[in-house]
Amino acid sequence: MVGIAFSAFMDMPAHLTTVRGRGGLGSSNQKFMDVFWVMTSNIASSASLQAYMHFYIIVAAANAKTDAEMLVTYGFPLNTFSATAGTTLKSENDGAVALSTGMKLYIAADVAPLADYYGFYTLRMIPFFKATGGNEIDVMVSTARAVQCWSWGSYNGAGFATIHGPAWATYFANKYFALMQFRGVNMIVCKLGTAAGTSSTGDVVIIPATQLAPDTPATVNNPLPLAVSTTPYLSSSLDSMKTACNSVNPAILAGSDEYLGTMTFISNANTAFADIAPTQNYAGTAQAVAFPAAISQLTDNSQSSDATLYDITAKTDPTTNWVIGAAKLDALLLFKQAAAAAWTDVRSVMTVCGPQTGSTIPSDLVITAGNDGAGAACTAAYLYTVGAVDE
Amino acid sequence: MTIAKKLECSLTIGTYSASKTSGTAWYTAKFETKVDGDSQTSKFGQWSSYIGVRDGFASLGQKSQNSDFEAGDTDVAATMYIFLSQKDQVGARATGVREFPFDTTVTDKELYFKAYGVGLKSAAKFAATLPAADKFVASNSLNAFTGGTFGLDAAVYANKDAETGSPTGMVEWKFAAAAWGGSCCITTGSCGASVCDKSSGNLNLFSTPDSKIISHAY
């Protein structure tokens, strides 16, 4: 054996191999560290020994973070699963697909993100793309924080990050974390900026979305897939997804640029999957799920139950304001939680839905927190066409 | 290259009946394990090793350490291995042996190590080493060769500067014709002006102390 040692040999790209940068060998945008090595002689037609070596670029020790250290949390408050043996459409979800119809980011009060851009692997969701193109999507922010988001990936093709098995991870002292490769699992990249979260409240970013795989038949307005669906795009059940993610959630990436190839931070994905997405089965009519997980379980609109309350009342005197033909009424949406919910939790969200045709919810509806019309506002309405798959 | 996909080890305890056979097999056991490449479906790295059992040229390897190759690191070192065996013979091609790319028994050629890639440093240093744990020992030598340890001439093979004038993205080290190979120690016991002492750092890279066998090969 002969050892050929090259000292002070190369400068490693500043970005991670695992998130697939741009450019190959010789490219100025190369994000891999590739070296083509040749031992040859000076005679004509010399034979040679050759090797093409690829050096996986690992996370710099200072950039290897826990999920908490990434300082931005995320979750899928409207993510739904269900049991197989249900008797209704909403309960017949076999859990073969993990759906997401919305994503929430939370930047805690007075906490500054590590970098301008964050990347999050998402469960099966199709966000609302902006007409401006470039994969930019609509977002709602609870504060004045300026946020832009983009959705990347192939919605029914392969993902863009590979699983690194335990042996591989150990080899690199666990500096490769739970990246994964699944069809239908895409990445949302958001420009959050590095400003600290708004004092006392923090900043909430909601990314509305529709499901990736609609029901079969597609006439059911239900974010849950039908139990008999046999062709889910995602080849993993909830359990297998959890397994593939080493029983935790996918890693969070962060960097100074929206392109994956420039991400330099990666989390160790040490948050339990159940902490970012409701993983409890959606059990038909039983009110077994806490409010943040399944709001519709708790809405009888009757105010007759101590456990549930969901109603809309006039903000001002209804006898003079709630009259036929009145438009854009100020109303109070009242609801009561069956269980305590911290709205800063990444699984907490409240939505109001109505039919597109003949809807009494105007497209310019403004929803504010509190009852004085001055609270944090949601200002966008999103049209969802049942069964549409916007790929 | 032929790759071994499985490793298998068998143990049989039986009753002696002849020099190579057993009348009764009292106990048999077999261990089998897979190595990389067997039944793998796009799970690169699931297993950690390839074992080449038959190939036409010397194997190459790459070494790394846990702390190496962090994003943004500069002046990172890299180590490669050339795996040689007694079957890596030089000179005229012969049946049943691997052919080293060059005839190193003679010193009529220049030797180049060239590396290409973005981010390579022109000031990189080259060193050829013989890992202590892999030095040649008599127990795995050819019968006609007594074996021993070898020491390369550090003045020649350690801390060598790269050639100047290489284009960006290429680093090259050059060894003159007399600086490697040769038949040191075959019969005369001399390495040029130095007394041939295989273990004292006088050996040329890829020299052939034994007929057509590269010294640091087993």
Side-chain angles (χ1 to χ4, degrees):
Chain A
M1 175 182 285
V2 181
I4 304 296
F6 303 101
S7 58
F9 183 47
M10 53 193 179
D11 289 345
M12 307 305 286
H15 312 293
L16 304 179
T17 304
T18 46
V19 291
R20 302 289 180 183
R22 297 160 290 175
L25 181 68
S27 165
S28 59
N29 287 321
Q30 176 188 342
K31 297 299 184 293
F32 299 111
M33 190 62 225
D34 291 333
V35 176
F36 184 56
W37 177 79
V38 182
M39 183 183 78
T40 187
S41 73
N42 65 331
I43 63 172
S45 304
S46 171
S48 64
L49 290 180
Q50 303 178 2
Y52 185 71
M53 292 168 292
H54 174 66
F55 297 87
Y56 277 86
I57 302 161
I58 63 176
V59 185
N63 288 356
K65 305 289 186 182
T66 64
D67 282 353
E69 289 170 341
M70 296 299 283
L71 304 180
V72 177
T73 54
Y74 79 114
F76 303 93
L78 298 179
N79 187 65
T80 50
F81 301 94
S82 188
T84 356
T87 55
T88 63
L89 285 175
K90 69 177 181 182
S91 64
E92 281 183 339
N93 178 12
D94 62 358
V97 291
L99 292 181
S100 171
T101 51
M103 181 176 177
K104 178 179 180 180
L105 310 180
Y106 181 63
I107 304 161
D110 303 318
V111 171
L114 295 172
D116 281 335
Y117 291 83
Y118 272 68
F120 305 90
Y121 290 96
T122 64
L123 305 180
R124 306 162 56 73
M125 58 182 258
I126 299 177
F128 293 85
F129 287 90
K130 286 192 168 186
T132 49
N135 278 13
E136 188 172 356
I137 56 175
D138 276 319
V139 296
M140 296 184 294
V141 189
S142 66
T143 63
R145 187 183 198 90
V147 176
Q148 283 181 282
C149 292
W150 297 263
S151 179
W152 298 106
S154 170
Y155 281 94
N156 56 6
F160 35 71
T162 59
I163 296 172
H164 290 273
W168 198 238
T170 301
Y171 182 72
F172 284 105
N174 294 317
K175 289 183 178 180
Y176 274 141
F177 298 124
L179 302 180
M180 57 189 194
Q181 183 176 35
F182 280 128
R183 290 184 297 172
V185 175
N186 300 282
M187 173 165 274
I188 296 289
V189 176
C190 286
K191 183 181 182 182
L192 301 174
T194 53
T198 304
S199 293
S200 77
T201 62
D203 298 324
V204 174
V205 179
I206 295 292
I207 301 167
T210 62
Q211 70 218 39
L212 181 56
D215 279 339
T216 302
T219 54
V220 182
N221 184 10
N222 182 5
L224 298 166
L226 197 63
V228 296
S229 173
T230 56
T231 57
Y233 294 148
L234 191 65
S235 58
S236 67
S237 68
L238 170 62
D239 286 338
S240 65
M241 175 178 284
K242 291 161 66 178
T243 300
C245 297
N246 297 323
S247 298
V248 295
N249 61 316
I252 304 170
L253 306 176
S256 59
D257 189 284
E258 69 185 272
Y259 294 103
L260 299 180
T262 62
M263 294 294 183
T264 51
F265 292 92
I266 186 170
S267 77
N268 66 355
N270 65 337
T271 303
F273 189 85
D275 287 346
I276 63 166
T279 55
Q280 192 170 354
N281 283 339
Y282 191 10
T285 58
Q287 296 178 6
V289 184
F291 174 74
I295 185 172
S296 60
Q297 288 291 322
L298 305 170
T299 58
D300 63 6
N301 208 27
S302 67
Q303 301 186 51
S304 61
S305 168
D306 289 339
T308 63
L309 171 63
Y310 180 82
D311 205 357
I312 297 175
T313 63
K315 182 170 181 285
T316 53
D317 185 358
T319 60
T320 55
N321 291 278
W322 285 44
V323 294
I324 294 174
K328 296 186 178 179
L329 298 174
D330 287 342
L332 295 177
L333 172 62
L334 306 176
F335 57 88
K336 184 176 181 179
Q337 299 171 190
W343 291 94
T344 56
D345 188 281
V346 292
R347 293 178 298 172
S348 309
V349 70
M350 190 273 291
T351 61
V352 178
C353 301
Q356 290 185 32
T357 303
S359 175
T360 55
I361 301 177
S363 60
D364 55 352
L365 168 71
V366 177
I367 300 176
T368 58
N371 60 7
D372 59 1
C378 303
T379 58
Y382 295 90
L383 296 180
Y384 167 50
T385 300
V386 176
V389 180
D390 182 13
E391 296 180 17
Chain B
M1 174 184 287
T2 301
I3 296 175
K5 296 181 177 181
K6 293 179 181 178
L7 289 178
E8 184 176 297
C9 181
S10 297
L11 169 67
T12 299
I13 300 175
T15 303
Y16 174 85
S17 64
S19 60
K20 293 182 179 179
T21 61
S22 174
T24 302
W26 294 104
Y27 178 79
T28 60
K30 183 170 71 173
F31 169 76
E32 180 181 295
T33 186
K34 292 179 178 180
V35 294
D36 234 2
D38 187 33
S39 304
Q40 253 184 292
T41 56
S42 66
K43 291 182 179 179
F44 175 77
Q46 180 174 3
W47 293 291
S48 59
S49 60
Y50 283 98
I51 298 178
V53 294
R54 187 174 67 206
D55 50 40
F57 49 86
S59 300
L60 300 170
Q62 171 185 323
K63 176 190 176 185
S64 66
Q65 298 175 348
N66 289 341
S67 58
D68 289 345
F69 314 138
E70 288 188 0
D73 275 1
T74 58
D75 293 338
V76 176
T79 300
M80 274 67 86
Y81 290 127
I82 302 173
F83 299 91
L84 302 167
S85 79
Q86 294 168 344
K87 295 299 184 184
D88 283 291
Q89 294 199 2
V90 300
R93 185 168 297 278
T95 302
V97 299
R98 298 198 313 196
E99 200 71 15
F100 196 70
F102 329 113
D103 183 358
T104 65
T105 60
V106 294
T107 55
D108 60 350
K109 295 175 285 293
E110 295 173 349
L111 180 65
Y112 297 92
F113 293 89
K114 299 177 181 179
Y116 303 85
V118 173
L120 297 188
K121 309 298 290 288
S122 59
K125 302 276 190 178
F126 173 100
T129 60
L130 302 182
D134 298 300
K135 288 180 180 175
F136 188 87
V137 294
S139 61
N140 49 34
S141 72
L142 293 176
N143 291 335
F145 190 56
T146 57
T149 56
F150 296 92
L152 293 177
D153 187 342
V156 177
Y157 303 107
N159 212 34
K160 181 176 176 58
D161 289 324
E163 296 295 304
T164 59
S166 296
T168 300
M170 173 186 173
V171 190
E172 176 186 28
W173 291 267
K174 171 185 173 182
F175 291 95
W180 64 287
S183 57
C184 167
C185 304
I186 291 180
T187 55
T188 62
S190 65
C191 280
S194 304
V195 174
C196 180
D197 181 341
K198 296 186 289 293
S199 62
S200 298
N202 292 320
L203 209 61
N204 274 349
L205 185 64
F206 303 130
S207 62
T208 54
D210 203 358
S211 176
K212 296 186 177 180
I213 305 296
I214 296 173
S215 58
H216 25 287
Y218 70 90

